[in-house]
Amino acid sequence: MTAAPAGAGAADPFALRPSLVDAAVEVVSVERSGEGDSALTAVTTIGVEKTEQLFDGHYADFPIFPGVCVMECVQRSVIAVAERSGMAEPELLAVESTRFLGAVYPGDLLTVHLDVRNDEGTLRCRAKAFTERGDAASVRLRMTGEVAA
């Protein structure tokens, strides 16, 4: 489990929070879209390392990246894109929908395609997560914040 570095927190609103996943989110691209630039489309990647501690207890003989961790990677992707875009850090309000479509294994590169839009004072986030083998999950989140024009 990853924890915030010593001294992090109040001074850095995007400091690492406790997490099930040790892997870092890399923001590959961010583009503004929508009327008045009120939406973002983005791509992130997360390397699912074979050394992730969570694999020790999640099917030791046949390790699979847990679905809740895929959802966490989507949430962390939205936060990373917000930081890159100069937005306030969004917080999770609701998981509106999640469908797990394929397994994610140790050593996979998880790619997340995001669509983040303003919706009634919150952010509506739609994501498709996939590996080199195909679709892994479809996730819809509602988060605090707004896409600033």
Side-chain angles (χ1 to χ4, degrees):
M1 184 179 294
T2 302
D12 182 1
F14 291 96
L16 292 176
R17 304 292 192 276
S19 172
L20 294 172
V21 182
D22 288 332
V25 175
E26 180 183 343
V27 178
V28 177
S29 67
V30 179
E31 294 181 14
R32 292 195 173 269
S33 59
E35 188 174 313
D37 288 338
S38 62
L40 297 172
T41 56
V43 176
T44 65
T45 58
I46 301 97
V48 179
E49 299 297 326
K50 294 176 182 180
T51 57
E52 288 280 354
Q53 289 182 355
L54 60 92
F55 288 126
D56 293 343
H58 204 262
Y59 307 115
D61 294 334
F62 189 72
I64 297 175
F65 198 58
V68 69
C69 294
V70 174
M71 288 176 32
E72 181 181 344
C73 287
V74 169
Q75 178 187 1
R76 290 177 56 201
S77 292
V78 174
I79 292 168
V81 167
E83 180 179 21
R84 167 81 73 87
S85 303
M87 298 164 50
E89 180 178 0
E91 294 183 19
L92 183 65
L93 295 172
V95 177
E96 293 183 336
S97 170
T98 300
R99 289 186 182 193
F100 299 110
L101 306 167
V104 178
Y105 299 109
D108 280 350
L109 181 66
L110 186 67
T111 301
V112 178
H113 284 199
L114 290 170
D115 178 65
V116 181
R117 300 182 177 281
N118 292 334
D119 185 55
E120 299 179 5
T122 63
L123 293 174
R124 175 163 277 162
C125 311
R126 296 176 189 256
K128 296 280 186 183
F130 57 93
T131 68
E132 58 277 0
R133 284 180 310 286
D135 292 343
S138 172
V139 180
R140 288 187 324 180
L141 304 176
R142 184 165 302 269
M143 300 181 79
T144 61
E146 68 178 357
V147 177

